[in-house]
Each structure stands twice: as C-alpha cells, then as structure tokens.
Amino acid sequence: MTVFRHELRRGLAACFLWTAVTGGLLVLCVGLYPEMKGEMDAAGSLFASMGSFTAAFGMDRLDFGTLIGFYAVECGSILGLGGAFFAALTGVSALAKEERDHTAEFLLTHPLPRARVVSEKLAAVLTQVSAMDLAILALALSAVAQIGERIPWRELLLLHGAYWLLHMELAGVCFGLSAFLRRGGAGLAMGLAGGLYILQLAANMTERTAFLRYFTPFAYCQGADILAAGALDAGLAALGGLVFCAGVATAYGRYCTKDIY
Amino acid sequence: MDAIKTAGLTKYYGSARGIEDISLTVEQGDLFGFIGPNGAGKSTFIRALLGLVRPSAGRGQILGLDIGTDREKILAKVGYLPSETAFWPGMRVRDILKLSAGLRKKNCAPAADRLCQRLQLDVSRKVEQLSLGSRKKVAIVCALQHEPELLILDEPTGGLDPLMQREFFALLRERNAQGATVFLSSHILSEVQHHCAHAAIIRQGRIVAGGSVEALVRTGAKRVGIRGRADLGDLPGIRDRQVTADGSEFLYSGGMPALLKALTEANVQDLTISEPDLEEVFLHYYEEGSGRR
C-alpha cells in the first residue's frame, strides 16, 4: 500500500482545503436558517413566482419553511458542487499528474504491476472523496445541532448519501479520463462537473428537457425527489454505478497498456 | 545467461521512428556503453527494456526474463537512473529514498546511508531545494540502494561535478567488480571509452557498430599528425583533414605504403601516427552520407 499512502499524503492539503471551504460554506448556510425561518413565507411566494428558475432548483416542490427543505436546496447545491469539483479534480489528476510532473518514469520503474498502481491510486481518490463527504456530514450534523433544530437523520443521510454517490461517480469518470491525459486536466474536470450541474438545471426546467436527467448524476441528488420519495431513484443511482464502473475499467484498460515517455 | 538480449526490437511512436530492429547482447558482468547523440533512440531502447513503452516489434530479455511478460521480476533486479530526474515537490530526500525502498518492499536504509555519505547527499533537504546535481545524486542512490544485478543508467553524469563523477564511476566499478552488470547510455564518448569494456553506437534508431571499445577504436583508420609541408591532396583514404600553422592532421584509412611513399617525397620534420579516439570513431559513423551503418 505504499502508493496508496503516498497518494494520501500528497492529497492531504487539497482535501483539507476543499473540505474546509465546502464544509464552512455549508455550516454558514445552516447558521442562516434561524434568521430566515421567520421570513420563509414571503420568500416562498417570491421563489414560487420565478417560473423555470424555481423549477430548475426544485424549489417548487420543497417547503422552505422546514429545515430539510431549506437544506436540500441551499446546502445541497454547496455540497453537490463543492464536492463534485473536488472529486473531479482529484480523479482527473490521479494518473495524469505523474506524466505531467515527470515522476511516472521513477514510479513505474519500481517492481509493481501497473494495475496495482491504478488500484492504489483509485483507492486513494475514493478515500479522499469519502473522507471529505464524511467530514462535511459531521460538520452539517453539528451545525444543525448548534442552531437547536431536531436533526432529520433519515433525510439528511439520504441527501448526503446521494451526493456521496455523485462524487464517487464523477471521481470514477475523471479517473478514467486521467489515464488518457499526459498533462493536467483541471479545466476538463471543472468543466465536466459544472456542465453536468447545469445539465440538471436544464432537465428540471421543462418537460421537453427532462430526458437530460439520464445524462447527469446530479439527477439522483435532487432534494425534492429524494424527500418526496423517501429514497433515492434506484434506476438513476444504478446507472451512475455503471458509469463509475465504466470509468474505472477504462482507467485500467488504458493505463496498463499505455506508453510512458 | 546474458544480462540484456534483444532481437529486432523496434518501437514507433505513431509514424515517428523510435528504434528499429535493434539486436543487442550485453553479457552479465559487463560494463557496457551505449553511445548516440540526442534523439538517436537511446532512451527509447531503455524504456522498451523496462516496460515503459511497448515495443512495436521484436523481443527482448533481461537476465533471462522476457521484457513483455516478466516486467515486475525484471524491475526487481534492475536499478534504473533516468536522464532527467524529477521527484514530488515537498518531499525530503529521506522520504524519496524510503518511498523507493518501500515500493521494492525492502529495507535499504543501511545501503542508502552509505551511498548518501559517499555522495555527500543531505537527506534532510527538500527536493525542490536541491540543485540538478543533487537531484541526480538522489536518483543514483535510488538506483543503487537495493543492490541490483543490472544497472541501467541513462546519461548518468549530467549535473554532477567532476569530483562527484569520479566517485560515481568508482561506485560503478565496485558494483561491477561484485558482479553487477552496468549498461551506460551516454553521448559523452570519453566516459564510455574510459569506463566501459564494450559499447554499441546507435544512429537514427539503429545500431551501426558494436563490440569491445578497444576494437571499436581500432577501425583500421589512423590519426596522422605531420609537422612540415606535405601535399597529400590526391592520396585516397584521407578524411577530416585539419591544417595547422606548422603542419596538418587527418584520419587515414588507406594503405600505409602509399602514405609513407607520399611522406618521403614531402618536407616532413615530424610525424605521429596513433589510434583514433572513440570520439573520432563516433563522428565517423555519424558523417552524413558516409554510407556506413
């Protein structure tokens, strides 16, 4: 597990930073809830009059007056996007950074199979993303407790679970892309994460664009759907799992036969 | 058993030539020089041996193991020093050495300590604070600390000062005396001539000459130096002629009687005839349009 430990050490600062920023924003958002709670009636009618924009964020189906309704929209976006950017960046750089930084020659002339290198790097990516999600969950729980609200355990865990799946899927896809890159793919990763988020907004806007939900993992993280059904959309989540597996399989297939120079 | 044996090893990067049809044998215990200018294919050949690139054609063995199927077993027995050494910023030298040993699942600490002392390498420094030469020293320790059977060194002395180069070659000779094979890729011909027993010259991806260094420099051509005036313009076999203030120098590969006859008719005050050095042999093989391979 030498490569795994090495990767974790190398990624520690970035993981801490992204967790602090995303978790900090989320805590801040939860902290605003008591202030906004009393004004939610007015805010609710304001949001309801915003047409497609309201639908895009699922605000037409959520009760802003409840903590979980507020959390699903406001905090969900922070957690979803912040985590997605981190997962995509971590995944896309995992393999490519060795060639970009010219360390691949050193690493791959040690006696360990390339598949082992891929496995340990993948494990490190998934560990970092999971650690971030766990830390943010802990921060969210403590923030909710801090404002004196009852913790809606089931709903909160479902929402965080969905975002964890989303982050895993994005990390897996970007990990697969990483095997093809020889230089940094930060732009590609950010573009992909942001693009998929926008795709979900577009999917929510009209019936005509609803089919787009099959092309973005943000679809199974919709707070309104999860809270209404009390569960994740199993079909979409399974599709996400398949995409994750395809990304990982691509990484193995490509990196194990790739010329390093 | 040969340390390195390749048959028709070929690598193309798309349509670009890397190496073509390289058949080379390096015996175990040899100190072998691999000579060629930048872009000749030296690094590609080494990368193919170490499994970093997949050959387009041909076969190869290292210490009796197939380069296509036994990559990990080969790498366990090989110490590799790349031409350009890059490490992860933020790491200290001791962490790099420990990481390299960890990837080999070996405790190399005693050997690493000895090597660091000999190369005067400060293990507490961060890699980004190191000069080019010091980074090279880190790579040398990584290549040697697990006491490999075969050392593959790609342009090993770049960045090392002359004193360190001397220490480095002393280390190589010691390892070689203990039975390790050394494969030294270089474009510094004096390095190969002084330290290697055998060598091969690579040109545009192909081996153009090979054998013992002694035999390579004994190509039949002689370096002739004349003090005085001699008109040898029509004499066949004269190359690389340089006229000096009091005479001339040239490489001569024609018949000796013809040269001596021409010289007796000239006004020669002094004459030296010697073996050419490896650099001259190398340039001979690299002369454009020489037609020799």
Side-chain angles (χ1 to χ4, degrees):
Chain A
M1 297 300 273
T2 309
V3 175
F4 175 72
R5 282 196 300 272
H6 174 66
E7 287 294 308
L8 285 189
R9 254 183 245 125
R10 305 265 316 134
L12 191 63
C15 186
F16 180 78
L17 199 68
W18 276 95
T19 304
V21 170
T22 312
L25 282 172
L26 196 139
V27 167
L28 194 70
C29 198
V30 171
L32 290 174
Y33 176 71
E35 296 283 323
M36 296 184 72
K37 197 175 175 182
E39 300 161 22
M40 276 306 160
D41 286 343
S45 39
L46 174 70
F47 291 142
S49 65
M50 288 160 61
S52 305
F53 185 77
T54 310
F57 289 93
M59 294 186 295
D60 52 340
R61 291 174 289 151
L62 286 167
D63 180 3
F64 254 44
T66 63
L67 172 73
I68 197 65
F70 173 80
Y71 190 92
V73 175
E74 301 297 338
C75 303
S77 296
I78 294 169
L79 172 63
L81 265 181
F85 283 139
F86 175 67
L89 285 171
T90 309
V92 87
S93 65
L95 297 168
K97 68 185 175 193
E98 305 297 351
E99 283 173 90
R100 181 195 65 201
D101 301 339
H102 307 289
T103 46
E105 202 171 12
F106 177 82
L107 181 65
L108 298 177
T109 48
H110 285 82
L112 66 169
R114 289 231 193 143
R116 178 76 179 270
V117 174
V118 176
S119 299
E120 294 196 26
K121 278 179 171 279
L122 175 65
V125 168
L126 301 184
T127 303
Q128 287 174 75
V129 174
S130 301
M132 181 205 200
D133 275 320
L134 269 177
I136 290 177
L137 174 64
L139 283 171
L141 290 172
S142 61
V144 172
Q146 197 67 37
I147 60 171
E149 291 285 328
R150 184 189 65 83
I151 296 175
W153 284 99
R154 182 177 164 75
E155 292 85 352
L156 211 63
L157 290 177
L158 269 173
L159 282 174
H160 277 262
Y163 280 114
W164 176 73
L165 282 179
L166 157 74
H167 298 156
M168 290 286 119
E169 184 183 340
L170 259 179
V173 169
C174 290
F175 190 74
L177 290 174
S178 182
F180 290 88
L181 302 175
R182 295 193 191 279
R183 296 182 184 278
L188 177 68
M190 301 282 273
L192 184 67
L196 290 172
Y197 180 71
I198 290 167
L199 214 57
Q200 173 57 28
L201 299 185
N204 280 350
M205 284 185 173
T206 66
E207 281 296 317
R208 215 155 48 83
T209 54
F211 72 95
L212 290 174
R213 64 203 300 267
Y214 295 105
F215 298 93
T216 168
F218 284 91
Y220 56 76
C221 299
Q222 280 290 290
D225 296 338
I226 293 172
L227 296 182
L232 267 67
D233 184 324
L236 286 176
L239 186 63
L242 279 177
V243 173
F244 168 81
C245 291
V248 169
T250 304
Y252 278 99
R254 172 65 181 156
Y255 203 72
C256 291
T257 57
K258 187 182 189 183
D259 283 348
I260 305 292
Y261 50 87
Chain B
M1 184 172 58
D2 296 313
I4 298 172
K5 188 174 179 65
T6 65
L9 203 63
T10 300
K11 175 65 187 176
Y12 280 95
Y13 299 105
S15 59
R17 181 270 304 157
I19 50 171
E20 282 179 322
D21 196 27
I22 292 194
S23 298
L24 182 73
T25 301
V26 177
E27 289 176 9
Q28 251 186 314
D30 200 356
L31 219 161
F32 192 95
F34 195 49
I35 317 163
N38 296 332
K42 303 188 300 291
S43 295
T44 297
F45 179 67
I46 289 172
R47 288 191 174 117
L49 290 180
L50 298 175
L52 289 169
V53 299
R54 291 161 73 88
S56 309
R59 287 176 291 113
Q61 285 191 332
I62 287 186
L63 301 164
L65 299 162
D66 188 274
I67 61 169
T69 56
D70 301 317
R71 186 179 156 272
E72 288 78 46
K73 287 181 192 163
I74 288 171
L75 293 176
K77 297 179 174 198
V78 171
Y80 171 54
L81 175 62
S83 57
E84 287 174 22
T85 46
F87 301 106
W88 297 272
M91 291 183 76
R92 294 185 189 280
V93 171
R94 72 164 71 86
D95 300 328
I96 297 281
L97 302 181
K98 203 173 156 191
L99 173 70
S100 180
L103 290 169
R104 295 185 178 283
K105 296 188 173 71
K106 276 187 168 183
N107 175 17
C108 304
D113 285 347
R114 283 196 301 274
L115 287 164
C116 288
Q117 271 184 2
R118 282 187 69 170
L119 296 172
Q120 297 164 20
L121 181 61
D122 181 355
V123 296
S124 65
R125 295 186 69 185
K126 288 192 171 179
V127 287
E128 61 266 34
Q129 297 169 341
L130 299 176
S131 64
L132 175 67
S134 293
R135 282 207 302 276
K136 185 69 98 175
K137 288 180 196 175
V138 180
I140 291 170
V141 178
C142 287
L144 294 176
Q145 65 175 351
H146 60 289
E147 298 177 347
E149 290 177 44
L150 169 64
L151 276 161
I152 296 181
L153 314 166
D154 193 2
E155 308 284 0
T157 53
L160 293 182
D161 63 51
L163 284 176
M164 235 359 104
Q165 286 186 25
R166 199 167 62 179
E167 189 63 34
F168 171 67
F169 280 110
L171 265 170
L172 290 191
R173 279 193 297 273
E174 283 169 29
R175 290 295 171 94
N176 187 233
Q178 290 161 8
T181 308
V182 180
F183 182 85
L184 171 73
S185 161
S186 180
H187 64 261
I188 303 170
L189 303 167
S190 57
E191 227 168 58
V192 172
Q193 186 163 13
H194 291 146
H195 302 290
C196 296
H198 296 90
I201 298 174
I202 182 170
R203 174 178 182 253
Q204 293 178 3
R206 288 178 175 269
I207 300 286
V208 291
S212 74
V213 170
E214 202 180 13
L216 273 175
V217 295
R218 207 187 308 123
T219 56
K222 303 286 180 191
R223 164 67 49 190
V224 179
I226 294 169
R227 195 155 65 84
R229 293 174 61 191
D231 181 15
L232 304 169
D234 297 335
L235 198 62
I238 290 181
R239 289 183 290 113
D240 189 25
R241 185 168 186 177
Q242 287 162 15
V243 177
T244 57
D246 59 348
S248 62
E249 265 193 26
F250 53 88
L251 270 177
Y252 181 67
S253 53
M256 200 48 74
L259 175 67
L260 293 175
K261 184 169 181 291
L263 289 176
T264 52
E265 290 164 4
N267 178 21
V268 175
Q269 291 151 27
D270 198 6
L271 170 71
T272 56
I273 300 179
S274 58
E275 296 290 343
D277 62 20
L278 195 54
E279 187 162 344
E280 286 168 323
V281 176
F282 179 81
L283 290 174
H284 161 67
Y285 282 110
Y286 271 79
E287 273 183 342
E288 278 187 9
S290 67
R292 294 192 63 166
R293 310 208 74 179

